[in-house]
Amino acid sequence: QVELVESGGGSVQPGGSLRLSCMFSGVTPSTFSLAWFRQVPGKEREGLALIYLASDITFYNDSVKGRFTISRDGAKKTLYLQMDRMEPSDTAMYYCATATYVSGGPPAFPYEFNTWGQGTQVTVSA
């Protein structure tokens, strides 16, 4: 079974950077992609970035494109999310997850999340 463990969250000032990590295990050839999403209490989860494991092709929500970068280290079985030029609106709990494409899904991020970790909190404030 897939296990995902996020780390790297914390507090940062506006304009600053953070890099989140997600150690994953149990990924099989049927796991086509890994992703990051975030959630604020009382709001829907927001898909941020996704990477296809077979090709390293990436997909970003326009809300973070150009500021966030998803990458992975296959040897270390670790997924990363580099977050730059952070804004107070980036404050949320961040999760890594296995993800599946959904035909007809929301154009901003047409993927559903299947398994995710416990999350890591990110706070952006002056």
Side-chain angles (χ1 to χ4, degrees):
Q1 83 196 44
V2 177
E3 293 189 1
L4 304 151
V5 180
E6 302 93 339
S7 63
S11 296
V12 63
Q13 293 187 339
S17 298
L18 272 180
R19 188 176 80 158
L20 305 182
S21 299
C22 171
M23 295 188 66
F24 57 87
S25 61
V27 170
T28 68
S30 64
T31 305
F32 297 112
S33 57
L34 294 175
W36 289 94
F37 70 88
R38 64 189 178 190
Q39 190 160 24
V40 175
K43 294 188 176 181
E44 292 188 1
R45 65 182 56 165
E46 179 185 22
L48 304 173
L50 176 139
I51 186 166
Y52 286 94
L53 298 182
S55 63
D56 282 342
I57 291 174
T58 57
F59 179 89
Y60 293 93
N61 190 319
D62 283 347
S63 65
V64 301
K65 189 179 293 183
R67 297 192 301 120
F68 290 9
T69 303
I70 189 171
S71 63
R72 70 183 184 101
D73 184 326
K76 295 181 180 179
K77 294 187 177 180
T78 303
L79 182 73
Y80 301 102
L81 184 69
Q82 176 68 39
M83 304 185 292
D84 298 317
R85 302 195 305 280
M86 298 187 71
E87 305 166 352
S89 58
D90 293 323
T91 296
M93 187 72 83
Y94 284 70
Y95 300 85
C96 66
T98 58
T100 306
Y101 177 75
V102 178
S103 179
F109 204 85
Y111 301 90
E112 65 178 7
F113 307 109
N114 311 122
T115 304
W116 51 91
Q118 83 289 348
T120 186
Q121 177 68 37
V122 171
T123 302
V124 184
S125 64

